[in-house]
Amino acid sequence: MSDRPHAAAGSKAETPAEARTEGPDFIRVLIAKDIAEGKNGGRVHTRFPPEPNGFLHIGHAKAICLNFGVAEENGGKCNLRFDDTNPAKEDPAYVDAIKKDIRWLGFDWDDREFHASDYYQQLYEWAQHLIREGKAYVCSLTEEQTREYRGTVQEAGRPSPDRDRSVEESLDLFTRMRAGEFADGKYTLRAKIDMAAANMKMRDPLMYRIRHTPHHRTGEDWPIYPFYDFAHGQSDAIEGITHSLCTLEFSDNRELYNWYIDNIPVPSQPKQTEFARLNLTYTIMSKRKLLRLVEEGVVDGWDDPRMPTLAGYRRKGYAPEAIREFCNRIGVAKYKGVVDIQLLEHCMREAANATAPRVMAVLKPLRLVIENYPEGQVEEIEAENNPEDPGAGVRKLPFSREVYVERDDFREDAPRKWFRLAPGKEVRLKHAYLVTCNEAIKDASGEVVELRCTYDPESTGGAAPDGRKVRGTLHWVSAEQAIDAEVRLYDHLFKDPLPGGTTDGGDFMEDLNPDSLEVLRCKVEPSLATAEPGSRVQFLRHGYFAVDRDGAKVGMPVFNRTVPLRDSWAKLEQKLSAGGS
Ligand code: ATP
Ligand code: MG
């Protein structure tokens, strides 16, 4: 169990208006004030302090954008500090993944990569200092007794029988704890503060525990490990951090943070300020829970595109700019809310719209034969790559007598306003020609397996020669030249907007969406044969997709759906601005 506080999920979904912040947020206001008052000599130095016990998620992106952002804006610095005080859960593989993800987001800590474990010796000496000052003692209560003695919110705690142990004895025992003389759990080191304090964190908090567990950086050097509270503020002070920004669940820890800073001869005086953590609908964010999804094989690893990890978003095709824009738009506040995931998807669409080349892919192919088109003829048709970007140029598309269209674009019994394919209906094949459906061929089971059509040879580029109105425009691929591809359609990993309910107690596993992944065998235009893993395209009428690294394994290109085209967020915003609210 980690000694850091856990955040409980909020319960209210933010409306778009609340999600937008006007002017600088309260942290930027506070920093501007500190600079104006000449605090810290006008310096701004922040840090991002991940615990290397999992991959970074979208909530961490908020903290990264904030910490690196305010430093950058004020000509300051932001350190990367691994908060590695819990050897049992930490792994160097996580350290590497975290660094990769921060760089991918577009931030850089230069040579300022630090680890709380770098400070173990200094922390140890400061612990001795507190003992000598009569402000810390070695305690022999068990974990359970310690909890019991601490009391409750209503009731004061009781002093440990070791509270008045002499300085000499505590110093001796602490030295022997450090030397590895005692078994795990035999003793702890505690600060001597106030067992009746209203803030439970101040009731003689634990500073050190005995753990004969090797650490990924310090090996077997230390059989004792500091608790988060005894490490964090002092690490900030050692690094000259001016503004220690963290999430609201650390509010109660602030008093203790300050107590250590005030009672230890630290080289600087950092200040902690808390902001609300990001919660997103249809998403769980706790690394503990994400780890469970990985370990139980619910997802294909930490970078499964359904995971809210930065590695997952990257694999799904998200652009780092989109995530930064999202963090910018949600802003920073003390208000605990749940942000609508549609805002994130909206930011991604905006980023992709400008840059992703438009291509054609038929996800559920149905053969369409153009009976009056010459057999064996292949035409090269010119198609623009991105109407949003004239500089993106054009490409050639093969067109022939047999093409694939989308199965869902044909209806035998079409409703009145159906502008797609149906017997007797004329449609436009994008960039190519107008075709009219004459007949649907069915197999023995009655399923439509082929459409028989004729085309208008005069309708080059899809324009009607006589100006007649053809409303439907469909995407297609030439049957012979199209290539096979695997397409992975992702939906939310959870079917409930607040997985596990509004509190931390619920079982999020019960809310898993059984349809979060649909894998299709598709036909895509031949230009995609050489698409590089990681590159992004728009499949016309379907959405944005990214090329997955699994292509080599599967034996054909694999595309992950980044985000569908439908943008309910944009509609909401339009409605709001039209309504004048
Ligand atoms: P989790 O509870 O998801 O495991 P954590 O807080 O234990 O996350 P850390 O690695 O300790 O994870 O977090 C590093 C920094 O990121 C901390 O300063 C923390 O406050 C911040 N952070 C973590 N989750 C969020 C979130 N959802 N929104 C904003 N900041 C977050
Ligand atoms: Mg945690």
Side-chain angles (χ1 to χ4, degrees):
M1 197 64 201
S2 150
D3 57 307
R4 291 153 173 74
H6 289 297
S11 57
K12 190 171 165 289
E14 281 189 11
T15 67
E18 282 169 296
R20 275 195 307 270
T21 48
E22 306 288 341
D25 56 71
F26 81 99
I27 289 185
R28 287 174 164 89
V29 169
L30 179 144
I31 290 179
K33 185 163 164 276
D34 286 351
I35 294 173
E37 289 172 2
K39 276 196 192 150
N40 307 300
R43 268 182 333 113
V44 174
H45 200 152
T46 56
R47 85 286 170 265
F48 173 65
E51 195 185 349
N53 61 351
F55 277 52
L56 296 181
H57 52 60
I58 185 83
H60 291 117
K62 174 176 178 173
I64 293 169
C65 289
L66 176 64
N67 279 295
F68 282 92
V70 296
E72 220 168 81
E73 293 157 25
N74 293 291
K77 290 175 180 162
C78 179
N79 294 357
L80 170 60
R81 172 171 351 116
F82 290 98
D83 223 328
D84 54 352
T85 52
N86 187 1
K89 298 212 169 163
E90 294 161 4
D91 189 325
Y94 292 139
V95 171
D96 295 338
I98 288 169
K99 292 201 279 190
K100 180 175 172 182
D101 289 345
I102 300 173
R103 288 208 181 91
W104 175 72
L105 255 193
F107 298 104
D108 190 5
W109 52 92
D110 301 317
D111 57 352
R112 296 180 311 280
E113 173 186 337
F114 301 111
H115 302 253
S117 54
D118 296 339
Y119 312 134
Y120 281 174
Q121 182 59 32
Q122 176 68 79
L123 292 170
Y124 177 71
E125 288 166 22
W126 281 337
Q128 288 176 314
H129 169 85
L130 288 179
I131 300 173
R132 271 187 237 109
E133 299 271 301
K135 292 174 180 166
Y137 60 94
V138 170
C139 177
S140 58
L141 292 181
T142 63
E143 205 178 321
E144 206 189 314
Q145 287 169 326
T146 307
R147 205 174 314 123
E148 204 188 299
Y149 275 65
R150 186 172 290 132
T152 63
V153 185
Q154 291 86 21
E155 262 175 78
R158 279 179 291 147
S160 157
D162 299 325
R163 198 166 199 263
D164 293 319
R165 200 191 284 283
S166 72
V167 168
E168 292 66 34
E169 203 180 317
S170 277
L171 268 180
D172 173 61
L173 283 173
F174 189 50
T175 310
R176 290 162 63 194
M177 282 166 65
R178 195 264 171 267
E181 268 187 48
F182 308 118
D184 288 6
K186 172 96 174 123
Y187 291 111
T188 56
L189 182 70
R190 299 175 67 175
K192 193 170 177 177
I193 307 181
D194 178 4
M195 285 310 289
N199 181 353
M200 305 271 290
K201 299 273 178 200
M202 301 301 280
R203 297 186 186 175
D204 289 12
L206 296 160
M207 293 164 58
Y208 273 89
R209 62 200 135 183
I210 303 175
R211 283 272 185 291
H212 291 268
T213 307
H215 184 279
H216 71 274
R217 296 190 80 242
T218 58
E220 309 216 343
D221 288 356
W222 293 88
I224 55 171
Y225 290 95
F227 279 86
Y228 168 83
D229 285 311
F230 187 67
H232 199 87
Q234 291 91 302
S235 302
D236 285 341
I238 291 170
E239 293 174 20
I241 300 303
T242 55
H243 298 85
S244 183
L245 310 175
C246 65
T247 35
L248 284 175
E249 71 273 20
F250 291 94
S251 300
D252 287 346
N253 303 59
R254 188 186 342 120
E255 196 178 345
L256 181 53
Y257 181 106
N258 291 339
W259 192 88
Y260 286 133
I261 295 296
D262 291 344
N263 286 281
I264 293 172
V266 290
S268 77
Q269 303 284 312
K271 285 271 176 289
Q272 175 181 308
T273 305
E274 310 87 23
F275 61 95
R277 54 196 290 129
L278 168 67
N279 294 303
L280 254 191
T281 55
Y282 298 100
T283 307
I284 56 168
M285 218 89 85
S286 145
K287 281 181 282 182
R288 199 163 36 95
K289 295 177 182 170
L290 295 177
L291 177 65
R292 196 171 149 202
L293 296 175
V294 173
E295 282 180 338
E296 297 189 14
V298 174
V299 294
D300 173 27
W302 283 97
D303 72 346
D304 184 298
R306 291 165 294 177
M307 290 283 269
T309 52
L310 297 183
Y313 284 118
R314 177 167 60 238
R315 190 166 171 201
K316 197 169 161 188
Y318 268 67
E321 311 83 85
I323 294 179
R324 291 202 307 266
E325 173 59 16
F326 169 73
C327 292
N328 183 28
R329 290 188 59 172
I330 56 173
V332 178
K334 289 253 185 205
Y335 170 74
K336 282 192 211 177
V338 183
V339 175
D340 191 329
I341 197 164
Q342 292 183 61
L343 175 59
L344 177 61
E345 293 170 354
H346 170 73
C347 291
M348 183 52 222
R349 278 188 202 97
E350 280 189 335
N353 181 41
T355 54
R358 275 56 170 168
V359 295
M360 295 204 277
V362 177
L363 302 194
K364 295 177 182 161
L366 175 62
R367 186 176 290 268
L368 183 155
V369 180
I370 304 165
E371 293 179 296
N372 62 337
Y373 193 90
E375 275 192 64
Q377 179 174 309
V378 181
E379 244 180 284
E380 295 273 292
I381 285 185
E382 195 159 275
E384 64 186 340
N385 286 329
N386 188 352
E388 300 286 321
D389 176 9
V394 294
R395 70 189 182 287
K396 299 278 191 195
L397 283 173
F399 184 83
S400 64
R401 190 168 189 269
E402 296 194 8
V403 301
Y404 289 113
V405 292
E406 213 61 68
R407 186 162 284 276
D408 293 344
D409 280 339
F410 174 79
R411 287 255 193 109
E412 200 161 22
D413 299 307
R416 213 166 52 81
K417 290 210 165 177
W418 180 256
F419 299 118
R420 299 184 243 169
L421 285 162
K425 290 252 184 193
E426 186 173 42
V427 299
R428 176 179 301 102
L429 295 181
K430 179 86 178 170
H431 303 306
Y433 291 105
L434 301 176
V435 296
T436 302
C437 177
N438 303 317
E439 191 190 353
I441 313 281
K442 296 178 182 171
D443 66 9
S445 70
E447 199 192 339
V448 175
V449 290
E450 188 177 297
L451 300 179
R452 292 270 155 179
C453 299
T454 45
Y455 86 122
D456 178 349
E458 303 293 302
S459 61
T460 320
D466 56 358
R468 68 182 181 274
K469 206 163 180 182
V470 177
R471 294 180 68 166
T473 299
L474 309 185
H475 60 277
W476 54 273
V477 292
S478 178
E480 177 126 10
Q481 291 81 15
I483 57 168
D484 289 322
E486 181 173 305
V487 170
R488 300 175 180 171
L489 302 180
Y490 300 101
D491 197 353
H492 304 315
L493 189 52
F494 295 96
K495 54 183 194 288
D496 196 289
L498 287 172
T502 56
T503 61
D504 235 8
D507 185 1
F508 57 96
M509 286 292 197
E510 281 172 16
D511 289 330
L512 281 168
N513 173 8
D515 303 315
S516 62
L517 170 61
E518 188 185 0
V519 180
L520 299 173
R521 173 64 65 86
C522 307
K523 296 284 184 184
V524 303
E525 60 170 80
S527 70
L528 293 170
T530 51
E532 286 289 327
S535 60
R536 202 177 295 119
V537 290
Q538 185 198 97
F539 286 169
L540 280 181
R541 299 175 62 219
H542 284 304
Y544 296 99
F545 289 76
V547 183
D548 192 80
R549 58 158 190 258
D550 274 355
K553 204 162 81 187
V554 176
M556 64 182 78
V558 173
F559 295 90
N560 294 323
R561 181 168 68 191
T562 311
V563 66
L565 286 179
R566 164 181 42 83
D567 193 341
S568 349
W569 187 270
K571 276 194 198 133
L572 248 164
E573 277 193 326
Q574 270 165 16
K575 221 159 67 190
L576 272 178
S577 56
S581 68

Coordinates of all heavy atoms in Angstrom, one line a residue, residues 434-464:
L434 N -20.6 9.2 -61.6 CA -21.9 9.0 -61.1 C -22.3 7.5 -61.5 O -22.1 7.2 -62.7 CB -23.0 10.0 -61.7 CG -22.7 11.4 -61.4 CD1 -23.7 12.3 -62.1 CD2 -22.7 11.7 -59.9
V435 N -22.8 6.8 -60.6 CA -23.3 5.4 -60.9 C -24.7 5.2 -60.4 O -25.2 5.8 -59.5 CB -22.4 4.3 -60.3 CG1 -21.0 4.4 -60.8 CG2 -22.4 4.4 -58.8
T436 N -25.4 4.4 -61.2 CA -26.8 4.1 -60.9 C -26.9 2.6 -60.6 O -26.4 1.8 -61.3 CB -27.8 4.4 -62.0 OG1 -27.6 5.8 -62.3 CG2 -29.2 4.2 -61.6
C437 N -27.6 2.3 -59.5 CA -27.7 0.9 -59.1 C -28.9 0.3 -59.8 O -30.0 0.8 -59.7 CB -27.9 0.8 -57.5 SG -28.2 -0.9 -57.0
N438 N -28.6 -0.9 -60.5 CA -29.7 -1.5 -61.2 C -30.3 -2.7 -60.5 O -31.4 -3.0 -60.5 CB -29.3 -1.9 -62.6 CG -28.7 -0.7 -63.3 OD1 -29.3 0.4 -63.3 ND2 -27.6 -0.9 -64.0
E439 N -29.4 -3.5 -59.8 CA -29.8 -4.7 -59.3 C -28.9 -5.2 -58.1 O -27.7 -4.9 -58.1 CB -29.7 -5.8 -60.4 CG -30.3 -7.1 -60.1 CD -30.0 -8.2 -61.1 OE1 -29.3 -7.9 -62.1 OE2 -30.3 -9.3 -60.9
A440 N -29.4 -5.8 -57.1 CA -28.6 -6.4 -56.1 C -28.6 -7.9 -56.2 O -29.7 -8.5 -56.3 CB -29.2 -6.0 -54.7
I441 N -27.4 -8.5 -56.2 CA -27.3 -10.0 -56.4 C -27.2 -10.6 -55.0 O -26.4 -10.0 -54.1 CB -26.0 -10.4 -57.2 CG1 -25.9 -9.5 -58.4 CG2 -26.0 -11.9 -57.4 CD1 -26.8 -10.0 -59.6
K442 N -27.9 -11.6 -54.7 CA -27.9 -12.2 -53.4 C -27.4 -13.6 -53.4 O -27.5 -14.3 -54.5 CB -29.4 -12.3 -52.8 CG -30.0 -10.9 -52.6 CD -31.4 -11.0 -52.1 CE -32.0 -9.6 -52.0 NZ -33.4 -9.7 -51.7
D443 N -26.9 -14.1 -52.3 CA -26.5 -15.5 -52.2 C -27.6 -16.3 -51.8 O -28.7 -15.8 -51.6 CB -25.2 -15.6 -51.3 CG -25.5 -15.3 -49.9 OD1 -26.7 -15.1 -49.5 OD2 -24.6 -15.2 -49.1
A444 N -27.4 -17.6 -51.6 CA -28.4 -18.6 -51.2 C -29.2 -18.2 -50.0 O -30.4 -18.4 -49.8 CB -27.9 -20.0 -51.1
S445 N -28.4 -17.5 -49.0 CA -29.1 -17.2 -47.8 C -29.8 -15.8 -47.9 O -30.4 -15.4 -46.9 CB -28.0 -17.1 -46.7 OG -27.2 -15.9 -46.9
G446 N -29.8 -15.2 -49.0 CA -30.5 -14.0 -49.2 C -29.7 -12.7 -48.9 O -30.3 -11.6 -48.9
E447 N -28.4 -12.9 -48.6 CA -27.6 -11.8 -48.3 C -27.1 -11.1 -49.6 O -26.8 -11.8 -50.6 CB -26.4 -12.2 -47.5 CG -25.8 -11.0 -46.8 CD -24.4 -11.4 -46.2 OE1 -24.1 -12.5 -46.0 OE2 -23.7 -10.4 -45.9
V448 N -27.1 -9.8 -49.7 CA -26.7 -9.1 -50.8 C -25.1 -9.2 -50.9 O -24.4 -8.9 -50.0 CB -27.1 -7.6 -50.8 CG1 -26.5 -6.8 -51.9 CG2 -28.6 -7.5 -50.7
V449 N -24.7 -9.8 -52.1 CA -23.2 -10.0 -52.2 C -22.6 -9.1 -53.3 O -21.4 -9.0 -53.4 CB -22.9 -11.4 -52.5 CG1 -23.2 -12.3 -51.3 CG2 -23.7 -12.0 -53.7
E450 N -23.4 -8.5 -54.1 CA -22.9 -7.7 -55.2 C -23.9 -6.8 -55.7 O -25.1 -7.1 -55.7 CB -22.4 -8.7 -56.3 CG -21.7 -8.0 -57.5 CD -21.2 -9.1 -58.5 OE1 -20.4 -9.9 -58.1 OE2 -21.7 -9.0 -59.6
L451 N -23.5 -5.6 -56.2 CA -24.4 -4.6 -56.8 C -24.1 -4.5 -58.3 O -22.9 -4.4 -58.6 CB -24.3 -3.2 -56.1 CG -24.6 -3.2 -54.6 CD1 -24.4 -1.8 -54.1 CD2 -26.0 -3.7 -54.3
R452 N -25.1 -4.5 -59.1 CA -24.9 -4.3 -60.5 C -25.3 -2.9 -60.9 O -26.4 -2.5 -60.6 CB -25.8 -5.3 -61.3 CG -25.3 -6.8 -61.1 CD -24.3 -7.1 -62.2 NE -23.4 -8.2 -61.8 CZ -22.4 -8.6 -62.7 NH1 -22.3 -8.1 -63.9 NH2 -21.6 -9.6 -62.3
C453 N -24.4 -2.2 -61.5 CA -24.6 -0.7 -61.7 C -24.2 -0.3 -63.1 O -23.6 -1.1 -63.8 CB -23.8 0.1 -60.7 SG -24.2 -0.2 -59.0
T454 N -24.6 0.9 -63.5 CA -24.1 1.5 -64.7 C -23.5 2.8 -64.4 O -24.0 3.4 -63.4 CB -25.1 1.6 -65.8 OG1 -26.3 2.1 -65.2 CG2 -25.4 0.3 -66.5
Y455 N -22.6 3.3 -65.1 CA -22.1 4.7 -64.8 C -22.3 5.6 -66.0 O -22.6 5.2 -67.1 CB -20.6 4.6 -64.5 CG -19.6 4.6 -65.6 CD1 -18.6 5.6 -65.7 CD2 -19.7 3.7 -66.7 CE1 -17.7 5.7 -66.7 CE2 -18.7 3.7 -67.7 CZ -17.8 4.7 -67.7 OH -16.9 4.8 -68.8
D456 N -22.2 6.9 -65.7 CA -22.4 7.9 -66.7 C -21.0 8.3 -67.2 O -20.3 9.0 -66.4 CB -23.2 9.1 -66.2 CG -23.3 10.2 -67.2 OD1 -22.6 10.2 -68.2 OD2 -24.1 11.2 -66.9
P457 N -20.5 7.9 -68.3 CA -19.1 8.2 -68.7 C -18.8 9.6 -68.9 O -17.7 10.1 -68.9 CB -19.0 7.5 -70.1 CG -20.2 6.6 -70.2 CD -21.3 7.1 -69.4
E458 N -19.9 10.5 -69.0 CA -19.7 11.9 -69.1 C -19.5 12.6 -67.8 O -19.1 13.8 -67.7 CB -20.9 12.6 -69.7 CG -21.3 12.0 -71.1 CD -20.3 12.3 -72.2 OE1 -20.0 13.5 -72.4 OE2 -19.7 11.3 -72.7
S459 N -19.7 11.9 -66.7 CA -19.7 12.5 -65.3 C -18.3 12.5 -64.7 O -18.1 12.2 -63.5 CB -20.7 11.8 -64.4 OG -20.3 10.5 -64.2
T460 N -17.3 12.9 -65.5 CA -15.9 12.8 -65.0 C -15.7 13.7 -63.7 O -16.3 14.8 -63.6 CB -14.9 13.4 -66.1 OG1 -15.4 13.0 -67.3 CG2 -13.5 13.1 -65.8
G461 N -15.0 13.1 -62.7 CA -14.8 13.8 -61.5 C -16.0 13.8 -60.6 O -16.0 14.5 -59.5
G462 N -17.1 13.1 -61.1 CA -18.3 13.1 -60.3 C -19.3 14.2 -60.5 O -20.3 14.4 -59.8
A463 N -19.0 15.0 -61.6 CA -19.9 16.1 -61.9 C -20.9 15.7 -62.9 O -20.6 15.1 -63.9 CB -19.1 17.3 -62.5
A464 N -22.2 16.0 -62.6 CA -23.3 15.7 -63.6 C -23.2 16.6 -64.8 O -23.2 17.8 -64.7 CB -24.6 15.8 -62.9

